[in-house]
Each structure stands twice: as structure tokens, then as C-alpha cells.
Amino acid sequence: MKTAGPRGRHGDHVRELDSGPVVALLLFEAADCLMAMPASEVASLQAPGSRGASADEGGASVAWIDVDEYFTGRQSDGPWLQWGRGERCAWLRVGWVVEVLACEIRALAPMPGCFRAEGRGGAFWAAGVRGEEVFLLMDPAKLADRRNGLTP
Amino acid sequence: MAREQPAPPVLQSASDQILEAIERQRETSRASPTEQERVPYLGFFLDSEVYGLPLEQLREVARLTRLRRVPGAPAGVAGLVNLRGEIICALDVRTILGLAARAAADSAIFVALRGFGEPLGLVVDSIADIYAIDPGQIESPPATWSAERAACFVGTVRVPEGLMGLLDLERLVKI
């Protein structure tokens, strides 16, 4: 595939290749599941057990969400990812980080209707394939909103 | 020398011929319906029970190799399946029908469906056979079934493997 260079309309983190726009996804394991989030929204990563950052960053209340605990009730001992989108941010604890994957946007399949309903299953935007494995593209904003009581 | 002329065949009137043909067809249909009248169903097993779905709603049958469970998914959803790069939602028929929960075995089969808008399929234990069902033989679900369970079926029909429940897929996918 030949790189055609960045396109402004997609922002800095989405590149347009001959085959279509590509987005970088950070793949991680949590809740016995392969998940992903846009790599451009991950500002930093803290090693397991080092919840050293202030719980009150820049005066805004920041949610600390253990993704394993969120979905299964079991606490994880993995690393913390600092997620941010515009004014919103949160720290997410995952099982372990797998890799950063360049993924064609058109290769992502929207989540079927039964998963888009309200509730914890609605935390995923889409699903993609890495080799033979299916991964779930998570929207951290949904978790943060739920944790902050903004959604039921 | 006069030649002997063969006797002309006794011709049936046209109306007689038509009536006779109709009677023959009626007799045939009473004895056994033609293959065209029968509807093909795919039979599959969940435990030892056999269930059926119309072949016209079947897209593909494949061995279940990769099932991705989705945290927070509804109980009737087994997860997502990667079928040659296509991501398909897999329904857990076992749970929907109220059967005893069991993890999908290595030998489990994925039945991909067609005609439901979104890619959809069922996780089943194994395939039984393809049956040509005479619609006239379809009976109501037994009275011993709960109303909740009976609502998942369009009816039942007797096959060599036992009483086959014919799934109402339109209803099943809404549960």
C-alpha cells in the first residue's frame, strides 16, 4: 500500500492510503476480551501499580476506571492509560497493552443493533479483525459518562 | 380387392380427459406431496433435541472457530464471529430457548443466516440433516411447552430424530 499522505479533514491521526483512510488503534486486553481505542486519544501510559498521577488534573475531576472491573467486577493489575478527547479525560486500567494497529476504517464493522442498546454493551463503536481475532473498538467516553453518572 | 380398414380408436371426450387428469393429480397429492410442495429445512441439534430452520434463511454453515464474547451483551447473544473477515453477530439459541447453559464446544457449528439486514447467525451443537417438510404436517408446539418457549417456534414436525421444533427466526432475533 502506498501512503498518500495526511488529509486535513480527518485530523492528524487518520491517514488516507490508496485503499482508504486508516486509523491507528491501540489494542489491549481487558475483561477477557481484545479491545481497542484510537491511539491518538491515549496521552500516556503508567506501569502497573503506579497510580501516581493526581486524581484531580487541572482542576477537573478525572474518572479512574478499571475496565476489567467495569465489565466483570474483577479488578485488574495492569497498566493505566491516560485517555483524552478535547476537554474530556479519564484514566483507564487495562489487562495489558497488545500493540498499535493501523486499521482501515472501512474494515471496521459497526456493532450490531443488539449491542448498541443502552447498558454496558453499548460501550463499543465497532468491531474489527486482527488476524483471525475479533477486537472491539471501545468508546472510553461511554465508560467515563457512566462512571460520572451522566448516562444510566 | 377391398382392404380391411383398422377400427378407429375410441376417443375420449376432452372433458373426460381433463377430469381424469384432475382426479389423478388429486390422488397423487393425497398419497404424498410432490417435492415442489415440500419446504426444505436444516435440522440441527442442541443437546439431544433437534430444531429446524427454513433452508431459504440459511446462508452458510461453518465450524465455530473464533467467538468473541462481548462484555455487557444481552444474554441471548453469544458474541461476534469472524467468518472469513466478515464480523457476524452470533445468537445463543440455547439461552434464548431456556436450555441449560453450556460453553460452546470445540465441535460447535455456526449457522450464518440471511435476510435479517445485519449479519446474523446461530451457535448450534451439530447438524442433523436436511428435511423436506410438507407444510401440512406441521403441528402446533406441544401444550407441555411453556408459552415463552412455544413463542419461539412456528410449529413442530416429526422427523426420524424426534420432534423437530421449527424456529420462528423473525421472533427469535428480536428477543
Side-chain angles (χ1 to χ4, degrees):
Chain A
M1 278 195 305
K2 203 170 73 180
T3 305
R7 297 275 177 94
R9 65 190 169 92
H10 295 306
D12 293 331
H13 55 281
V14 179
R15 291 184 306 157
E16 184 108 356
L17 301 185
D18 285 350
S19 51
V22 170
V23 65
L25 299 176
L26 180 84
L27 264 68
F28 58 92
E29 282 218 356
D32 301 322
C33 195
L34 186 61
M35 300 184 189
M37 69 172 90
S40 63
E41 294 185 352
V42 180
S44 67
L45 186 149
Q46 282 194 3
S50 60
R51 186 175 159 171
S54 165
D56 184 54
E57 303 198 355
S61 176
V62 176
W64 290 78
I65 303 163
D66 183 321
V67 181
D68 261 48
E69 187 183 25
Y70 179 89
F71 286 114
T72 68
R74 298 189 309 266
Q75 280 197 342
S76 162
D77 57 0
W80 288 93
L81 305 176
Q82 187 185 21
W83 166 81
R85 184 186 302 157
E87 297 292 306
R88 313 172 75 176
C89 59
W91 282 91
L92 302 168
R93 187 174 219 175
V94 302
W96 57 284
V97 173
V98 178
E99 66 169 334
V100 175
L101 178 76
C103 182
E104 281 185 50
I105 289 177
R106 72 177 180 187
L108 295 169
M111 289 300 278
C114 58
F115 298 109
R116 289 198 295 265
E118 288 298 320
R120 283 164 200 249
F124 304 104
W125 270 327
V129 174
R130 170 185 176 256
E132 293 287 303
E133 276 193 289
V134 174
F135 66 81
L136 306 172
L137 180 56
M138 190 177 77
D139 180 7
K142 293 270 174 63
L143 274 67
D145 287 351
R146 249 186 105 95
R147 182 52 57 92
N148 293 330
L150 298 177
T151 55
Chain B
M1 202 169 127
R3 281 192 184 169
E4 202 172 310
Q5 294 289 322
V10 180
L11 291 175
Q12 269 185 306
S13 70
S15 58
D16 282 348
Q17 289 181 52
I18 293 169
L19 283 171
E20 203 175 272
I22 289 173
E23 196 51 40
R24 269 201 309 269
Q25 203 171 357
R26 198 175 282 163
E27 286 297 325
T28 311
S29 64
R30 262 201 292 265
S32 68
T34 63
E35 286 303 312
Q36 284 178 332
E37 289 170 323
R38 291 172 176 260
V39 180
Y41 276 78
L42 174 77
F44 61 85
F45 285 109
L46 289 172
D47 295 332
S48 59
E49 294 178 344
V50 63
Y51 298 89
L53 58 90
L55 219 52
E56 64 176 14
Q57 290 180 304
L58 173 72
R59 192 181 115 190
E60 188 175 339
V61 173
R63 194 161 290 283
L64 182 71
T65 51
R66 300 268 178 178
L67 175 66
R68 168 65 63 206
R69 301 207 173 270
V70 179
V77 178
L80 296 172
V81 168
N82 171 13
L83 190 64
R84 294 188 302 281
E86 187 184 2
I87 296 167
I88 302 180
C89 178
L91 297 182
D92 185 349
V93 201
R94 180 178 289 279
T95 301
I96 294 172
L97 297 180
L99 303 177
R102 205 179 75 181
D106 289 343
S107 59
I109 300 290
F110 183 63
V111 178
L113 304 173
R114 71 164 95 224
F116 291 95
E118 290 181 323
L120 209 60
L122 310 176
V123 177
V124 306
D125 289 351
S126 58
I127 298 299
D129 207 343
I130 290 174
Y131 305 95
I133 303 293
D134 170 10
Q137 292 177 335
I138 298 176
E139 296 175 354
S140 302
T144 50
W145 288 10
S146 69
E148 204 173 36
R149 177 177 165 84
C152 296
F153 297 88
V154 293
T156 59
V157 67
R158 182 64 61 182
V159 294
E161 287 78 11
L163 190 66
M164 180 165 76
L166 304 177
L167 293 172
D168 184 346
L169 290 173
E170 276 79 13
R171 189 177 175 95
L172 212 69
V173 300
K174 289 178 189 160
I175 293 176

